[in-house]
Structures are given as C-alpha cells and as structure tokens.
Amino acid sequence: MPLLRSAKVPQGIWIALILVLLGLVAMVAMVARREPPGRVLILASTLDDEGRNAGPGMETLLSDCMEVLTGVMVTHASSLPSPGDLQRLPSDTRLLRFTGKRIGQQLAMTLEWNTVAQLRSGKPWIQDLLPPQEPAQAMRHIVQHWPLRLQFRQLDALVPNAASNFWILLESLAIRDDQNAAAHLEITQRFVEAEPRCATGWTVLGDHLYRSLWVDPRQAGVGLNSRTHHAFQKAVELVPGHPRATFLWSMMLTDTGNQRMALQALRGSIRLRPDQPDLYLGIAYASRTSGLLEVARRALSRRGTLLGPLASPSAWFAETTYLYLGDLNAFGQELARAGSLRQDASLLFYKGYFALLQGQDKQALGFMRAGSAPDMAPTHFRDLCRVYRAYLEGRPKDGLVELREMDEIRGKLHIPDGEWTFKEAEAYAILGDADRGVDCATRAFVQGFSCAAWYERSPFLAKVRAHPRWPTLRRNIRERQAVLEGSFPPSAFEP
C-alpha cells in the first residue's frame, strides 16, 4: 500500500481561507455588539388640512417611515414628558413634534427635534422648516434631513405619487375606530387602485377591512377575509417586514385561526426589524392562542425590554398569556396597569373574570354590572358581561338566553376568533349547559385556539372536562400544539 504524500496547499488558497475566517470573525463581532438603532418619541402634533386636523395621520406616516427606513423604535405621547418622566427616559431618546398646514395640494411644515439629554439641560429644539411644496418632495426632504441613519431606501413605496392622494392617505391613517373604518372602505379601495405601489395605502386598506370584520362584514362585500389577507400581503411584498402591516396581518390571521401563517410572517419580519415592539405583541398573541406559552412569555419580556420606561399595556386586548401560564399575580398586575389607561367592556369583563377566579363573587358582580352598561364597548364583551351578570345574580336561564343569542350573532361574523369562542364555552359550562359548552370548546379549537394548558386548567370549564367528548377534544388540542411547538421553538423569534 503506497504511503500517502502530503499535498502542498497553494499560498493563494491559504490567504483566501484566512480572509474568509477574518470576515466571519468580524461578522460575529458585529452581531454580538449590535446596538439598537435608537428610539424616537413623537409628540401629538397638529397639521391643518383645510380645517381638519391631519396630525394623527402624519404621526402614523412618519412612524411608518422611521421604522421601515431606519429601524428605530417609535413611540407616541400626547404631550411633552414631565421633568420626572424625562429623568426615567433613556438620554439618547429623540423627540419630534411638528406643525403644518395644507396649501392647495402642497404641504408646509415645521419639524422640531430634540433629545432627552438636551431637554434635561435646557437646550433648545432644532427646527427644520419646509416651505410649501409637493407632499412627496416634502417627505423626501424630511428623510434626508432627519437625525437618523438610513438602513433602507424605500420611501417611494411608503408615500403616494399624486399630491391629492397624499391628503386622502393622511385622512385614512387618522381613523382609529371600527365604524369609521368600515364607512371609509370605498375611499381606501380607490386609493390603492390609484396608488398600487404604496405599501402604506395597502396597510390602511387591510386595517379598515380587518376592522370591518368585527362590525359590519356585509358592507365590505364578498370575500372579506381573502381581501383583507391580500391587502396586508401586498403591503409586505412591497416593503418586506413592514412592521405595522405585519403586526396587523398577524392579528387578523390569528383571529381567523391561521396562527401558523401569522407566526411565519412575524418570524420573517423580526429578522429584518428586530427592535419593533408591536411585532413581539403579535408573537405573544399568536403564540398564546396556540399554546406556545414560553414563546409568548419571552416575546412579552422582549417587548418590555425594548420599551423600557415607555412600556404600557396593549390597547388591543387584555394580556391573557400570564393567565394561561397560571401566573395570576402577573395577570392581575396587567389588568391594573391597563385599567389606569382605559375602562372599556373588555377590561371590565376580565376584571370580573379575575375576581371570580379568586372566589370574589361580589366584586365580580360589580365589574360585570359596570361592563354591561348600554353605552359600553366593545359590544361583544358588553354582552358577555351581561351573561356573567345573570349567572352571578342567580338567573342562569336568563344568562343562557343571552348567551345563545350572542352565539348566533357571532356565528354570522367573518372573524371567528377562537379565543373568544372559548370564553363562550366557559360561560355555557358555568351556566350548566355542558353539551353546548363542549360544542363551543370544539368550535374554539377548530377556529385556532389550542392552548392546552387553559383548556385543562380553567375552573369555568370543569363541566366540559366531565363530558364524554372531552378526551377526544383534549387529544386533538395536544396534538396540534405539539406540531406548532416543533415548528416554532422559542429560539425562532430571538433577534
């Protein structure tokens, strides 16, 4: 057997290998010391659009542009932070406020920038004055002169070409309630037809269609779910990882039982824009309803770390991740924090629900009575408060009548929301109708809610767990959760 001879490696190959290794070391070092691109706090500002205030719309547009083009974390405040709050904020936080007006189709603006550190030391605001000009030109000026480092050059995909459409976009971006969004659908649809390359327009259309799923699906026409999905998908195709579009899309997908697709979209966006807090809120929502509670917990922790002193409860929903984890103290704290910001029917329901979990029936009744007042919204939570109120007042038959009527109405909506249907299953169970309870629990599973821990631990679902159909349902829930756990481990969403 001949001896093996050592082969002489050419010097050029060694040099190439060394360069590759040095490149890898540099890349690893760069990733290891990756610093977030910063944070901006936009203060509530006004922009006169022929007598209407387009300020909220401009705030959203600027926020989108900053998040997409620079990766900064953008938050909003109704007014300048107090001296005490300024001491709590990171010193490098940039603040922005503006004034402006519409002149014909042109935009005139004055932007003012400062930092927390400079405000603490009494330094003046730095002004950027924009004389009247075409809105697209004004937006280019803003981007070229803001004190932020550009990472992407996609401004043309965020603002409309036609000046008249710019003002339509600001009006659409300013809409914050479901009824007005549904009424505005025809206008937003015409906008995307006129500006098909504007991702912001597609995001607005998706938002308005999504809101219509909750209030009046008939007004939005046939194929509402697919139209909503298409609008968000188009926005993300035009601007990959678009934070607001991806977040809203993930919410819609989760509400319609497509958690896998929601988590896939969020994972892709996180890779591009790892410092956007709302993306982690979307991850928590899709994960908790899928039973991926550790993923949800880590996402909420990451969101809290990013926001720091600016952290606040979600305005979209009560954070039930802690409830499903069995951490009642954390759940109670979240409800208390949310209660300092708003008092709507959903929050009052969960406060009553939490009191019931603790055996405090009298306090629970007070919350359910408050939440069932005729002027309370959202209406489906108001109606559920009425069901629980009947139960606590010893009127189970009345509660069942209310619940069946509500269940029938909800069945006609285009957005099933399995987590909500699970709440109906709990209500049927505590009112003594185990058959309807197991029907509702099964429907909740079909609609995407597969958090095995809460199916198995919720004290309100006890009668369903005694039903002959429970073992099959439990097995199906666990199997689906196991599949998703394999596809989306906690590490899948780490930056």
Side-chain angles (χ1 to χ4, degrees):
M1 180 176 180
L3 294 173
L4 293 174
R5 292 189 233 175
S6 60
K8 186 175 181 181
V9 179
Q11 185 178 10
I13 294 179
W14 280 114
I15 293 173
L17 287 171
I18 290 171
L19 289 174
V20 169
L21 287 172
L22 287 174
L24 288 173
V25 170
M27 184 181 297
V28 169
M30 182 176 65
V31 171
R33 66 171 184 266
R34 184 189 74 82
E35 296 181 358
R39 59 185 73 203
V40 174
L41 177 61
I42 300 180
L43 305 179
S45 303
T46 58
L47 196 161
D48 179 18
D49 177 6
E50 299 178 341
R52 295 170 298 185
N53 181 20
M58 177 58 83
E59 290 173 34
T60 302
L61 179 59
L62 288 171
S63 178
D64 280 0
C65 289
M66 291 178 196
E67 290 175 350
V68 169
L69 302 178
T70 73
V72 298
M73 188 191 77
V74 181
T75 51
H76 299 260
S78 58
S79 60
L80 185 67
S82 67
D85 289 336
L86 283 175
Q87 294 301 321
R88 296 169 54 241
L89 294 176
S91 60
D92 61 347
T93 301
R94 298 187 184 277
L95 294 92
L96 169 64
R97 63 189 183 191
F98 61 83
T99 57
K101 62 180 178 180
R102 176 178 180 174
I103 302 175
Q105 297 294 351
Q106 294 189 323
L107 169 65
M109 282 186 72
T110 298
L111 292 90
E112 294 186 298
W113 291 91
N114 215 327
T115 67
V116 166
Q118 290 172 335
L119 278 176
R120 289 173 185 165
S121 59
K123 298 289 179 63
W125 292 71
I126 297 173
Q127 288 191 341
D128 184 12
L129 277 67
L130 283 73
Q133 55 194 287
E134 292 292 302
Q137 182 180 349
M139 292 302 298
R140 282 193 291 274
H141 173 97
I142 291 170
V143 170
Q144 290 167 1
H145 291 82
W146 63 21
L148 306 168
R149 184 172 60 86
L150 282 179
Q151 293 185 359
F152 301 95
R153 300 185 182 277
Q154 297 169 297
L155 179 63
D156 289 345
L158 297 172
V159 297
N161 289 318
S164 59
N165 288 333
F166 179 84
W167 300 104
I168 294 172
L169 180 63
L170 290 193
E171 180 184 2
S172 302
L173 284 168
I175 293 175
R176 296 290 190 271
D177 67 279
D178 299 349
Q179 295 290 349
N180 281 339
H184 208 75
L185 272 176
E186 185 177 345
I187 294 173
T188 49
Q189 181 62 51
R190 287 203 304 267
F191 177 92
V192 297
E193 291 170 359
E195 300 277 355
R197 303 297 299 171
C198 181
T200 312
W202 285 106
T203 303
V204 172
L205 178 60
D207 181 24
H208 290 182
L209 287 166
Y210 175 38
R211 292 176 182 276
S212 298
L213 288 165
W214 289 102
V215 291
D216 189 3
R218 292 170 299 178
Q219 185 170 340
V222 179
L224 180 55
N225 277 0
S226 60
R227 287 178 62 204
T228 309
H229 173 75
H230 171 73
F232 288 131
Q233 188 175 42
K234 186 69 176 177
V236 173
E237 286 175 357
L238 289 166
V239 177
H242 189 298
R244 191 162 60 89
T246 304
F247 167 68
L248 292 170
W249 189 21
S250 75
M251 295 277 287
M252 176 261 175
L253 290 169
T254 299
D255 284 339
T256 52
N258 292 300
Q259 278 89 339
R260 174 179 288 277
M261 187 178 292
L263 290 168
Q264 288 172 340
L266 289 160
R267 181 168 58 186
S269 187
I270 284 290
R271 288 171 179 168
L272 286 172
R273 313 181 198 278
D275 299 305
Q276 300 304 322
D278 276 355
L279 294 177
Y280 294 95
L281 194 63
I283 291 169
Y285 184 42
S287 297
R288 83 182 192 216
T289 56
S290 304
L292 310 182
L293 296 180
E294 179 59 19
V295 174
R297 187 194 65 77
R298 292 194 190 187
L300 291 175
S301 176
R302 173 64 176 163
R303 177 179 183 262
T305 299
L306 286 171
L307 289 170
L310 298 173
S312 62
S314 166
W316 289 86
F317 41 64
E319 187 44 70
T320 51
T321 295
Y322 303 112
L323 173 68
Y324 302 156
L325 281 166
D327 190 345
L328 294 186
N329 286 334
F331 181 57
Q333 290 170 8
E334 280 294 301
L335 290 179
R337 292 173 65 223
S340 66
L341 301 177
R342 70 183 197 278
Q343 289 290 331
D344 58 20
S346 66
L347 186 62
L348 289 167
F349 167 78
Y350 274 109
K351 284 187 171 182
Y353 184 94
F354 182 54
L356 271 177
L357 286 172
Q358 298 175 303
Q360 300 170 351
D361 290 12
K362 185 176 180 180
Q363 292 91 328
L365 179 56
F367 288 124
M368 295 303 181
R369 281 175 174 166
S372 61
D375 60 340
M376 292 302 293
T379 56
H380 54 298
F381 272 104
R382 179 196 66 198
D383 295 341
L384 192 56
C385 284
R386 291 167 60 184
V387 171
Y388 272 79
R389 175 180 175 178
Y391 164 71
L392 290 164
E393 290 177 346
R395 300 182 288 108
K397 290 184 179 178
D398 292 342
L400 282 171
V401 170
E402 294 265 10
L403 184 56
R404 288 166 186 164
E405 289 178 357
M406 182 174 61
D407 194 13
E408 184 178 350
I409 293 171
R410 291 285 308 166
K412 295 177 181 178
L413 293 180
H414 292 214
I415 187 159
D417 188 358
E419 188 174 34
W420 167 264
T421 304
F422 180 85
K423 293 291 179 287
E424 290 188 351
E426 290 178 311
Y428 275 122
I430 65 170
L431 289 167
D433 193 338
D435 286 338
R436 281 185 179 263
V438 78
D439 286 345
C440 244
T442 302
R443 187 156 25 108
F445 167 72
V446 172
Q447 292 169 350
F449 185 69
S450 53
C451 180
W454 198 237
Y455 274 96
E456 296 172 7
R457 286 206 303 257
S458 168
F460 306 128
L461 209 66
K463 285 186 172 63
V464 167
R465 290 194 291 270
H467 197 280
R469 288 161 54 193
W470 166 249
T472 301
L473 176 58
R474 180 186 186 187
R475 183 178 64 250
N476 291 339
I477 293 166
R478 286 189 166 189
E479 287 177 355
R480 180 198 284 168
Q481 182 175 308
V483 170
L484 288 172
E485 285 172 342
S487 299
F488 302 101
S491 60
F493 301 98
E494 293 178 354

